[in-house]
Amino acid sequence: MTDLEAKLERFETLAAECDLIGKLTTDGAKRELYLRLAFHYRELVDDLRTVLATKNAA
């Protein structure tokens, strides 16, 4: 497993954890924070997948 693949896996895990926390919390501000974090991690996952696909195609 390359370093980028390890980061991809970690960001996927963080996105899922933030989604779960965001859905379970009753505090509106914390919900917004965690759901925003999950969105950010999913964007990083998408970017890393693009990088890995480009790297593997070359």
Side-chain angles (χ1 to χ4, degrees):
M1 178 179 291
T2 67
D3 185 47
L4 288 178
E5 290 169 335
K7 286 183 191 284
L8 174 67
E9 187 174 310
R10 179 67 180 142
F11 290 149
E12 288 172 333
T13 302
L14 287 169
E17 289 174 353
C18 287
D19 266 335
L20 180 62
I21 293 169
K23 290 175 183 175
L24 293 177
T25 190
T26 57
D27 184 326
K30 286 184 181 179
R31 177 181 299 120
E32 179 66 28
L33 171 69
Y34 281 103
L35 293 177
R36 206 170 344 148
L37 282 170
F39 179 77
H40 177 67
Y41 282 126
R42 283 192 299 274
E43 286 181 330
L44 290 172
V45 166
D46 291 341
D47 291 344
L48 275 175
R49 283 189 178 139
T50 301
V51 168
L52 285 170
T54 304
K55 181 181 173 186
N56 290 336

